[in-house]
Amino acid sequence: MKLHERIEGRLREFVDRQPMFFVATAPLAADGHVNVSPRGIPGTFAVLDDHTFAWLDGTGSGSETVAHLRENGRITVMFCAFEGAPNIVRFHGTGRVVTRYDDEYPALAARFTDVPGARAVIVVDVERVSDSCGWGVPLMSYEGERDLVGPYFERKGEAGQREYRRRKNRTSIDGLPAYDVDPVDTPAT
């Protein structure tokens, strides 16, 4: 393993080429569930500068990352090569959730491809950058994207997306507050 001062050069090029990455977070409680999530919709993640990584967070079946970041901020982001030379890159840092209702959201979200159901931008202040061999990672071929989540949330519309998040994203599996910022829709008068 090698530590790096910043995300630059070959590390940044490696990250930019990857079709997906993994995010790991955990609650403070020792009996809480550690969460690992894959991410990889094209155009929704990027290195913003030498010490900042971010992604457009879409609505999903859960909200563990949001809950854990709200509670303690700890996060690890991992990229690994499934093609070419073996390599694993990890960013350890502190993450924060910028919801679609926050003033900072439009400027951050503009850096990414617009995705139906986007609920936040996750910004990671990277404190530790490392890379190591990926000898244990299998070689696999990239076949393409699954075009399911976009059309699903597009059909729901904005009100349907908010309702989905209120039903499935308000708390984590451990009961922590998660994505609980959607306003309650009021009937038109």
Side-chain angles (χ1 to χ4, degrees), residues 64-86:
E64 304 312 300
T65 302
V66 170
H68 295 160
L69 292 180
R70 285 181 65 190
E71 184 196 41
N72 62 58
R74 298 177 306 161
I75 189 166
T76 300
V77 177
M78 184 184 79
F79 298 86
C80 53
F82 295 107
E83 299 177 315

Side-chain angles (χ1 to χ4, degrees), residues 5-183:
E5 292 292 318
R6 59 189 51 83
I7 310 164
E8 65 180 357
R10 71 172 181 80
L11 290 181
R12 188 166 184 162
E13 291 168 9
F14 173 77
V15 167
D16 289 343
R17 285 192 313 268
Q18 301 314 302
M20 69 175 294
F21 61 98
F22 299 89
V23 175
T25 59
L28 292 175
D31 62 345
H33 292 82
V34 174
N35 187 64
V36 179
S37 294
R39 300 279 188 252
I41 296 173
T44 62
F45 60 93
V47 174
L48 302 184
D49 63 40
D50 290 353
H51 294 282
T52 312
F53 177 75
W55 75 90
L56 186 69
D57 188 51
T59 299
S61 59
S63 200
E64 304 312 300
T65 302
V66 170
H68 295 160
L69 292 180
R70 285 181 65 190
E71 184 196 41
N72 62 58
R74 298 177 306 161
I75 189 166
T76 300
V77 177
M78 184 184 79
F79 298 86
C80 53
F82 295 107
E83 299 177 315
N87 196 22
I88 298 171
V89 172
R90 289 182 183 89
F91 301 155
H92 297 262
T94 304
R96 61 190 172 90
V97 180
V98 179
T99 76
R100 61 183 303 109
Y101 306 106
D102 295 328
D103 292 340
E104 190 180 4
Y105 181 83
L108 283 168
R111 300 182 73 141
F112 305 105
T113 300
D114 186 30
V115 176
R119 63 184 175 190
V121 173
I122 306 298
V123 180
V124 180
D125 296 319
V126 179
E127 300 157 3
R128 184 178 190 271
V129 179
S130 67
D131 75 327
S132 58
C133 75
W135 294 348
V137 177
L139 288 170
M140 297 191 297
S141 299
Y142 172 76
E143 290 187 34
E145 299 300 319
R146 298 178 195 268
D147 189 25
L148 300 170
V149 71
Y152 178 80
F153 284 110
E154 206 168 303
R155 285 190 306 273
K156 285 196 163 299
E158 289 295 322
Q161 292 170 29
R162 285 190 298 272
E163 177 56 29
Y164 181 96
R165 287 190 295 264
R166 280 193 294 271
R167 283 187 298 107
K168 296 185 177 261
N169 294 169
R170 290 183 66 77
T171 60
S172 73
I173 59 176
D174 294 317
L176 295 172
Y179 197 89
D180 57 2
V181 297
D182 278 311

